[in-house]
Amino acid sequence: MSRPTKLFEPYKLGPITLANRAVMAPLTRNRAVPGSFVPGPLAAEYYAQRASAGLLVTEASQVSQQGQGYQDTPGIYSKDQVAGWRKVTDRVHERGGKIFIQLWHVGRISHTALQAGGAAPVAPSAIRAKGKTFVNGTFADVSEPRALELSEIPGIIDDFKRATKNALEAGFDGVEIHGANGYLLDQFAKDGANKRTDAYGGGIENRAKLMLEVSKAVASEAGADRTGIRISPVTPANDILDSNPQALFDHIVDGLSALKLVYLHVVEGATGGPRDFAPFDYASLRKRFSGAYMANNAYDFELASKVLEADAADLIAFGKPFISNPDLVERLKKGAALNEWDKNTFYGGGAKGYTDYPTLAAEPAE
Ligand code: 8OZ
């Protein structure tokens, strides 16, 4: 018996139809091939196992070497990376799944050890984040960044555009721009990290500019109906802060809506933490946005069903539950128990904690 809920109803997302409204959220797993940053040998298996999600969003994938901030995260800027991702999308499509890739530039959340020639990571302003990254097998303080020159900004936009072209060549159904969690686009948007005095700093309109220009460029390549974006208005992740996130994100979402992006993916509250971390009116974003509203952060079956029923969201993204439950949709349908996740195997390593979580079918009968 399946439990009645909109969660398992199909959803038309631009030109594609999702089998249900449960999305696998982007999840960093640090298992790409060291040096080439091609998706690792088990990545196709991992994503194919989870293809019964309405939509898979891949782990964040850097659009350039400069955009990398952690050890062994995959890229989408080289030919080999495109070929590696092609194997992933083929396996997912064979299983009837749909998959978007998350496009990422970390900005200041990086380390000189990951940058070409040991250079400083780039940021809107030369302000070091209080935070750690994982590099050379250990946690290290992020490096002191340098402020991007105004003349370098078109190059960043081009990197996102090229990555989008690569993503389409790799067979993705669409792309999600990573505008969340204190990485480059969020750093430009929020006044705690952006102290620029040029056209990309100062008031809300200037700070929102890079996120909107990247969105426009990506949508021009993939089609707006295959372009989503993830934001996290109030998260403190990676030492990010804004003095007026409601006004900032109301403005940003008006701009994204005008670009007709297909979905707005919102981390509600603190990423991986409390949903009520800071006051924020998410309904205001839903109202302003013309496309689908994808809600994320600590959703379970009950909350997802309630929010969909109330028409407060169209899609629900589940993160950690998808790590440990490849057949999450089937388990939720049946009201079956969920496997617990092992946080010791989230980042790096091999099959353990990656492709070895059992499905219901694989479990011994009681
Ligand atoms: C966990 C570890 C490293 C990166 C994010 C891409 O927070 C990440 C990330 C998460 O968006």
Side-chain angles (χ1 to χ4, degrees):
M1 265 285 288
S2 145
R3 300 193 280 180
T5 165
K6 272 172 86 174
L7 188 58
F8 309 125
E9 289 176 10
Y11 186 80
K12 196 158 167 5
L13 185 72
I16 63 175
T17 300
L18 313 183
N20 58 67
R21 290 136 188 265
V23 175
M24 178 176 168
L27 294 155
T28 288
R29 305 305 308 270
N30 307 79
R31 284 165 166 86
V33 178
S36 67
F37 309 114
V38 171
L42 294 169
E45 177 68 14
Y46 165 72
Y47 285 109
Q49 285 174 346
R50 288 157 179 76
S52 59
L55 177 68
L56 304 172
V57 183
T58 71
E59 62 210 277
S61 303
Q62 57 270 7
V63 298
S64 60
Q65 181 183 355
Q66 186 192 66
Q68 182 173 0
Y70 304 82
Q71 182 174 317
D72 303 339
T73 55
I76 181 69
Y77 55 90
S78 78
K79 276 212 160 1
D80 288 350
Q81 291 161 1
V82 171
W85 282 119
R86 181 87 223 185
K87 294 182 190 159
V88 173
T89 63
D90 282 348
R91 289 285 304 282
V92 168
H93 290 146
E94 276 163 26
R95 292 256 192 128
K98 303 287 183 201
I99 184 165
F100 276 37
I101 185 170
Q102 197 192 43
L103 302 181
W104 195 26
H105 192 307
V106 296
R108 65 180 183 165
I109 307 300
S110 187
H111 195 278
T112 53
L114 294 166
Q115 298 291 318
V122 299
S125 302
I127 306 168
R128 191 178 194 160
K130 287 181 214 68
K132 304 257 180 208
T133 180
F134 189 76
V135 62
N136 294 333
T138 168
F139 288 94
D141 288 342
V142 299
S143 302
E144 175 90 33
R146 70 171 177 86
L148 278 165
E149 301 288 341
L150 186 59
S151 61
E152 292 177 285
I153 290 183
I156 301 276
I157 298 169
D158 281 349
D159 288 342
F160 273 92
K161 210 171 158 172
R162 200 169 312 108
T164 306
K165 200 161 183 262
N166 289 342
L168 297 176
E169 201 181 316
F172 284 101
D173 297 292
V175 302
E176 176 177 294
I177 298 160
H178 197 338
N181 296 342
Y183 298 111
L184 185 71
L185 302 181
D186 205 24
Q187 289 159 27
F188 267 82
K190 291 178 177 165
D191 56 14
N194 183 344
K195 306 290 182 196
R196 298 178 75 92
T197 53
D198 61 11
Y200 290 86
I204 280 172
E205 288 186 12
N206 283 5
R207 283 183 277 119
K209 223 164 122 69
L210 185 61
M211 203 182 291
L212 294 176
E213 287 178 352
V214 164
S215 299
K216 188 172 179 187
V218 168
S220 77
E221 197 66 45
D225 58 358
R226 292 183 184 272
T227 304
I229 187 165
R230 193 179 209 211
I231 58 171
S232 54
V234 301
T235 196
N238 294 307
D239 192 25
I240 200 74
L241 187 71
D242 189 74
S243 58
N244 189 352
Q246 190 75 54
L248 174 63
F249 282 91
D250 280 352
H251 171 78
I252 286 176
V253 171
D254 283 344
L256 298 170
S257 190
L259 291 172
K260 301 243 175 312
L261 296 202
V262 76
Y263 72 72
L264 178 70
H265 182 179
V266 184
V267 182
E268 298 167 340
T271 312
R275 295 180 46 72
D276 59 356
F277 176 77
F280 193 86
D281 179 12
Y282 296 101
S284 165
L285 305 187
R286 171 155 183 65
K287 235 185 298 149
R288 284 162 191 274
F289 189 65
S290 55
Y293 183 93
M294 184 189 294
N296 171 250
N297 205 20
Y299 277 84
D300 60 10
F301 174 82
E302 282 70 27
L303 185 58
S305 299
K306 194 174 116 189
V307 164
L308 291 174
E309 197 50 50
D311 201 31
D314 301 297
L315 300 164
I316 307 291
F318 298 89
K320 293 188 283 285
F322 258 117
I323 287 184
S324 51
N325 297 278
D327 56 346
L328 182 66
V329 172
E330 189 188 351
R331 287 174 187 262
L332 293 178
K333 264 187 196 165
K334 291 186 169 156
L338 301 185
N339 300 318
E340 280 176 29
W341 53 78
D342 173 10
K343 61 178 173 29
N344 297 314
T345 52
F346 280 177
Y347 309 118
K352 189 169 170 340
Y354 190 48
T355 50
D356 66 350
Y357 285 106
T359 59
L360 280 175
E363 278 178 6
E366 284 172 35

